[in-house]
Amino acid sequence: MNPLSRINRRWAAPLLAVGLVAATAVVPNAIGSADASPPALPPLTPAELLVKVRTAKVTALSGTVKLTTNLGLPSLDSLGALGGGGSATSITSLLAGEHSAQIWIDGTYHLRVATTAPMAETNWIRNGSDLWSYDSSTLTTTHASIPAGSRTSADADTDPKTSIPDPAHDTPIEFAQQLIDKVTPSTGVSITDNRYVAGRAVYQLVLTPNDPTSTVQAVTFAVDAATGLPLDVRVTAKSSGSTAIEIGFTSIDFSVPSASIFDFTPPPGSTVVEAKTPSDLLSAGGDRYDRRGRRNQPSDAANGLGQLTTLGQNWTTVAVIEKSSVAGQLQSFLASAPRVTVGGSMARLVTTTLVNVLVFDDGRIAIGAVTPDQLEALVAAG
């Protein structure tokens, strides 16, 4: 079981749109002193390092995770929080700067994520069969119950049916080598210098796209030498040669968190709303309700995202969002973006150091970590 993969899914509630806009999630600069000598670790091949990640057995931890985004965008202050919600972690705020979250995990059924912003706080909690979210900016607490016998996405991490490889047929090293063999036609795989992340010695696995139309120079994963847990991921933009997005631990403790961490009582004065399903709570949280507990817009309108399709493959995958209400909210921001014709349709082209975006007059948005020419070609070919 890899707790970091579950952490990312939990934090994906406020980061959903960033995932679409940024196309990749990456890590923070948590390496400690730049003058520290690299740790001396036993040499590993990429396949052996993948096995270390695959066989990681960490089930409990607490720590601070930091998201750093530097896409070279102009100020987004005028856009506000897209989607009309009052979330402390608004979509636009995540597109630039640094943001942090506190995370506690004890097995599959106990998890808490807390994010903060000036004068605001957001919490997501799972305590057994109870799910909670709290947004201090709207004073809204949302609760959902997981029916007995049901499974959430977190439970899927421990489902033996999803376990790969099958121990009866593949050894971990064989599985890792097969994975590398499949990846290498589109990606270079290597190990670079060891370093420290959150005070811990790590190996660094580097993936380098072979496709010249990708705007990604490299994706670097920092793997804890002692536990095999990925602690840090960093995406470097080809255009600048610098880190465009990072997400990872700045501090971490592998001891079991106190059980009281997962207890939650709605703060005095907050409105408590019962969500119909766990996914309803996890996908939108308090943003679906106002201060009186009245439901806001339907989910698609509330988060500003329409139906999602993808074009291309591997490093040139492009996401296309149909009829997104976000497009209308971006008009003032798009005023200076050049107009282009793509497959007979007009659009504004927004370029960043890592991703390029087409915002069409008809409400579609196409996003990809590819060159503008490749983005336009893929969308035009449909």
Side-chain angles (χ1 to χ4, degrees):
M1 176 174 63
N2 186 337
L4 188 59
S5 67
R6 296 198 286 112
I7 290 171
N8 288 338
R9 278 201 287 275
R10 293 308 179 288
W11 212 16
L15 293 179
L16 173 60
V18 174
L20 295 173
V21 172
T24 346
V26 219
V27 285
N29 192 8
I31 64 174
S33 173
D35 297 328
S37 300
L41 298 172
L44 294 179
T45 66
E48 290 170 334
L49 186 54
L50 285 174
V51 169
K52 195 172 189 67
V53 175
R54 170 68 180 80
T55 56
K57 300 297 184 183
V58 176
T59 60
L61 60 82
S62 59
T64 301
V65 174
K66 184 171 72 172
L67 169 70
T68 304
T69 311
N70 182 19
L71 298 177
L73 287 167
S75 174
L76 301 172
D77 294 343
S78 62
L79 296 181
L82 298 182
S87 173
T89 312
S90 70
I91 290 172
T92 53
S93 72
L94 291 169
L95 295 178
E98 297 182 353
H99 306 272
S100 63
Q102 296 295 121
I103 294 175
W104 300 264
I105 291 177
D106 182 9
T108 301
Y109 305 108
H110 298 88
L111 179 136
R112 183 167 189 155
V113 179
T115 64
T116 58
M119 301 179 68
E121 177 185 8
T122 304
N123 273 264
W124 289 270
I125 303 102
R126 176 173 182 178
N127 190 2
S129 61
D130 289 310
L131 296 176
W132 298 91
S133 74
Y134 172 67
D135 187 343
S136 67
S137 64
T138 60
L139 295 179
T140 302
T141 297
T142 310
H143 174 258
S145 296
I146 302 174
S150 66
R151 295 169 64 254
T152 68
S153 59
D155 304 327
D157 291 338
T158 56
D159 184 351
K161 295 180 180 178
T162 64
S163 179
I164 299 175
D166 180 353
H169 298 90
D170 296 304
T171 65
I173 194 67
E174 287 173 343
F175 163 75
Q177 190 58 58
Q178 290 170 9
L179 179 60
I180 289 176
D181 290 343
K182 291 178 181 178
V183 166
T184 49
S186 66
T187 309
V189 182
S190 62
I191 291 181
T192 190
D193 295 340
N194 306 327
R195 65 170 181 148
Y196 290 96
V197 169
R200 299 184 65 85
V202 299
Y203 294 96
Q204 293 194 95
L205 180 69
V206 182
L207 304 183
T208 306
N210 292 331
D211 194 311
T213 65
S214 172
T215 56
V216 176
Q217 178 173 299
V219 179
T220 305
F221 297 87
V223 179
D224 185 35
T227 66
L229 184 71
L231 299 183
D232 171 287
V233 186
R234 181 174 67 256
V235 174
T236 304
K238 189 181 296 182
S239 62
S240 65
S242 60
T243 300
I245 310 173
E246 301 179 309
I247 188 172
F249 286 97
T250 59
S251 65
I252 191 167
D253 182 347
F254 291 105
S255 59
V256 178
S258 169
S260 63
I261 290 290
F262 308 103
D263 293 333
F264 181 77
T265 300
S270 69
T271 298
V272 180
V273 178
E274 195 70 25
K276 291 184 178 180
T277 66
S279 60
D280 190 26
L281 178 149
L282 291 172
S283 63
D287 284 353
R288 289 193 179 184
Y289 307 94
D290 64 17
R291 290 178 180 268
R292 297 183 180 180
R294 295 175 301 194
R295 194 173 185 84
N296 286 330
Q297 304 173 43
S299 58
D300 286 343
N303 62 33
L305 304 177
Q307 181 180 356
L308 176 68
T309 58
T310 59
L311 304 171
Q313 60 183 347
N314 299 324
W315 293 99
T316 64
T317 299
V318 168
V320 179
I321 307 168
E322 302 290 341
K323 299 179 180 179
S324 171
S325 63
V326 171
Q329 301 174 49
L330 293 174
Q331 290 308 308
S332 61
F333 173 69
L334 296 172
S336 61
R339 289 185 66 80
V340 295
T341 302
V342 182
S345 299
M346 297 300 298
R348 295 279 186 178
L349 174 63
V350 179
T351 60
T352 77
T353 58
L354 182 65
V355 297
N356 291 299
V357 185
L358 288 170
V359 182
F360 288 87
D361 293 350
D362 60 14
R364 288 177 296 152
I365 297 180
I367 307 166
V370 296
T371 62
D373 288 346
Q374 178 71 359
L375 178 63
E376 294 176 22
L378 285 170
V379 175

